[in-house]
Structures are given as C-alpha cells and as structure tokens.
Amino acid sequence: MKGPLFYSKILLFGEHGINKGSKGLSIPYNFYNGGLRVDDTETAQAKKSNQSLKGFVEYLEKMQEEEPGLVTFDLDTLRLNVEAGMYFDSSIPQGYGIGSSGALVAAVYDQYANDKITVLESLTQEKLLKLKKIFSKMEAYFHGTSSGLDPLNSYLSLPILINSHDSVEATGIPMQNLEGKGAIFLLDSGIVKETAPMVQIFMESLKDKGFRTMIKNQFLKYTDACINDFLHGDAKSLFNNTKKLSKVVFNNFKPMIPEQFHELWQKGIESNDYYLKLCGSGGGGYILGFAPDIEKAKESLKGHKLEVVYQF
C-alpha cells in the first residue's frame, strides 16, 4: 500500500503571532513530501515512524472518545495497518519548521477519517475552520499545542491566509518571476529543533507586560503589513517591512534564534543584503530569508546552505 503524497509548507508570516491574533500566511513547498506506506522496508527510519504511529493511534482513540462530534476515524483499519508495519515515508526534514508532522496528520486524516471534508468540495469558511480545528487537535500530539495551519496547508496544497481565529481562507499569491532579483529563501541552521520548548518560551514571555505591548504594537503590525505587501506584489514595501520585522524578532526573540546566527542576523539588517526571520517556532531548523537581490545575498552568506523557494 502507498497513500497519496502530502507536501511540506512554509509559514511565511505569523510564527507565534497567530495564536495572539496576528494574520498568518502559509504556502505549500512542493520540494519535500511524504505519504503513508506499508511494505517490507526495515530501515531504522521506517521502524521509528511506525513506533510513533502506534502512539498516535492511541491518542486518536482518546480524541475520538472525548469529541465524537468533531471527527471519527476508521481506527480498526488504521490499527491493522500500523500493526502490519505502516510508516510515513517522507523526505520532509524533521525538526526544521516546514511541516513534517503537518503532512503526516494530513495523510492520516485523508486515509482514515470518516465523513472527511475533501478538497473537491466548495470549501466554505465553516468547513475550513472545522478542518483547522480537527488538525489542531490531531497535531497537538506532536507539539503539545498547534494552530492546525500546517496540516491544513498540506491537506489542501493551497496557500492559506489566516485573518483571525475565526476567519481562514484559501488564497492566491502573485505568480513567481523566475527572472526576478528578489527572493525568499531557506537558510539551513544545521540544528534539529523541538517546537514545544519554543512555544513554552513564547508563552512565558507573554507574562511580561512589555513583551505583550511589543507583540501588539510592533510584531503584529509588521507581520500584517508584510502579508499585505506580499499578497499585493508590493516588493519595495515588503522588504521595508520585513527589515522592521527582522529587527523586532532579533531584539525580542533572541532565545529562539540559534546563537551562532545572531551575528549573521544583524549583518543582514545592517547591510540590507537580506533580512532573516523565524521559520515556524524557531530554535533551529530552517531560518527564513528575504533578499532584494538574491545574488548579493548568496555572496553575503557564502558558506551557508541556501534554498530559494520563491522569486519575484
């Protein structure tokens, strides 16, 4: 058995802020993907994935008991397949902030949910919010808490715009211009991260009044402005606001930026060659970069691994 493939995603804007009312914009990243499969593979990775799925099945059982009105699964078939060695065969790097658990959640829902909402239906606001709620509950198994955005993006394979807690929509983004100088890229930190501790740091910081004020007056403001600029194709304003956002993150989210990247982060702001921001929760994995001139940025970041994900 081999199930359909689900793609990784990139949360362009909204990391940590979505749960505090900022907008969020997430796009599918088709370079990496994963799917459920049952075969005779005995690799360490397949065994580890199968082990993790066993725990996930128990979690879904409890979830279904607690909220049968939200979603039910064909748990018998799921259990049988997991016992037969089913695993998630994925090229999505784990702990890198590009949705490895989100793709797995989307695959399990797609294959085993009863009365599932499908991509072929007309996706009303109500259906999108229900999917987001289901996925948020499912993915909480992996992170302790989840907005549900990663699996939603993976499942629909469409850019998702979050306007607020109760307003989510599939959106269009401007066409890429592969000849364009401007680019969004991923910078590999070489560090595998865990999401839960980063979320914990953020929640602790929110107890501080000054931090809450900064989130409201600066972080949310620049995040929303960047999303607006990106969706409207206003590159000049986008880089202007990304620089401001990069500064705010550097000054207030230091524990979530790997120490060896502090200097590089500042160098981007000072040189205007590129601006860095967190990709997902931070703490390692990928760091997201925005470059007005990608060739200049590559030169400036020589010796580091860059992956261009979008050009304009």
Side-chain angles (χ1 to χ4, degrees):
M1 166 201 139
K2 185 157 173 40
L5 292 175
F6 291 89
Y7 297 115
S8 56
K9 63 83 214 170
I10 293 172
L11 181 63
L12 286 184
F13 301 103
E15 69 288 343
H16 290 296
I18 291 171
N19 294 327
K20 287 283 135 233
S22 88
K23 285 185 175 183
L25 179 64
S26 183
I27 62 170
Y29 183 39
N30 301 358
F31 189 70
Y32 297 113
N33 57 53
L36 293 167
R37 66 190 297 170
V38 180
D39 56 27
D40 300 330
T41 305
E42 287 286 311
T43 63
Q45 199 182 349
K47 282 180 183 166
K48 191 179 169 194
S49 172
N50 177 258
Q51 219 32 57
S52 170
L53 277 172
K54 282 179 183 167
F56 192 37
V57 174
E58 284 173 27
Y59 174 82
L60 294 178
E61 264 177 81
K62 277 200 200 108
M63 181 180 144
Q64 185 170 304
E65 274 168 34
E66 286 166 13
E67 273 192 86
L70 183 63
V71 64
T72 62
F73 300 93
D74 179 358
L75 289 168
D76 293 338
T77 308
L78 175 55
R79 219 176 281 110
L80 275 174
N81 289 341
V82 170
E83 286 308 318
M86 183 169 78
Y87 63 101
F88 190 57
D89 182 21
S90 166
S91 65
I92 307 169
Q94 283 188 330
Y96 262 67
I98 57 169
S100 56
S101 59
L104 168 57
V105 165
V108 170
Y109 177 83
D110 179 66
Q111 204 93 343
Y112 299 100
N114 298 318
D115 307 318
K116 67 178 183 187
I117 296 165
T118 74
V119 188
L120 303 170
E121 298 170 37
S122 79
L123 291 165
T124 60
Q125 184 71 234
E126 195 186 345
K127 284 178 186 170
L128 282 172
L129 286 170
K130 185 171 183 186
L131 269 176
K132 185 174 173 288
K133 190 177 179 189
I134 291 168
F135 289 151
S136 155
K137 287 267 161 66
M138 288 174 75
E139 200 183 30
Y141 171 73
F142 299 99
H143 300 318
T145 174
S146 159
S147 67
L149 185 60
D150 288 6
L152 185 64
N153 198 295
S154 221
Y155 184 63
L156 301 177
S157 207
L158 292 165
I160 304 288
L161 174 64
I162 292 204
N163 293 306
S164 64
H165 277 309
D166 49 9
S167 171
V168 180
E169 58 182 295
T171 187
I173 59 173
M175 281 280 288
Q176 282 211 65
N177 170 15
L178 297 175
E179 304 296 309
K181 269 183 164 184
I184 299 171
F185 61 89
L186 293 174
L187 179 66
D188 188 349
S189 73
I191 302 162
V192 175
K193 61 163 190 158
E194 282 184 53
T195 299
M198 294 300 118
V199 173
Q200 197 49 46
I201 291 170
F202 181 72
M203 298 318 271
E204 279 299 312
S205 302
L206 282 173
K207 292 176 182 171
D208 177 78
K209 189 169 180 273
F211 188 83
R212 288 200 306 273
T213 305
M214 174 279 300
I215 288 289
K216 191 175 161 209
N217 296 343
Q218 296 176 46
F219 186 74
L220 299 191
K221 180 178 138 189
Y222 297 137
T223 296
D224 290 358
C226 286
I227 290 173
N228 207 27
D229 292 339
F230 181 76
L231 291 177
H232 288 99
D234 188 342
K236 192 175 176 212
S237 183
L238 172 66
F239 289 121
N240 190 13
N241 283 312
T242 311
K243 180 177 183 174
K244 289 175 184 166
L245 188 58
S246 185
K247 267 188 194 166
V248 168
V249 172
F250 187 67
N251 292 332
N252 299 280
F253 290 72
K254 277 239 175 67
M256 299 163 197
I257 302 169
E259 212 165 296
Q260 56 271 52
F261 285 88
H262 287 188
E263 210 177 300
L264 218 57
W265 200 288
Q266 213 164 358
K267 182 184 164 189
I269 293 167
E270 286 165 9
S271 67
N272 294 313
D273 287 348
Y274 57 86
Y275 309 116
L276 301 179
K277 64 183 289 297
L278 299 178
C279 182
S281 60
Y286 283 119
I287 293 166
L288 204 52
F290 290 74
D293 183 333
I294 189 60
E295 292 312 318
K296 240 185 185 173
K298 280 179 182 170
E299 192 56 43
S300 208
L301 290 163
K302 237 192 184 128
H304 292 275
K305 270 163 64 182
L306 259 70
E307 273 174 49
V308 174
V309 297
Y310 186 91
Q311 270 179 279
F312 48 93

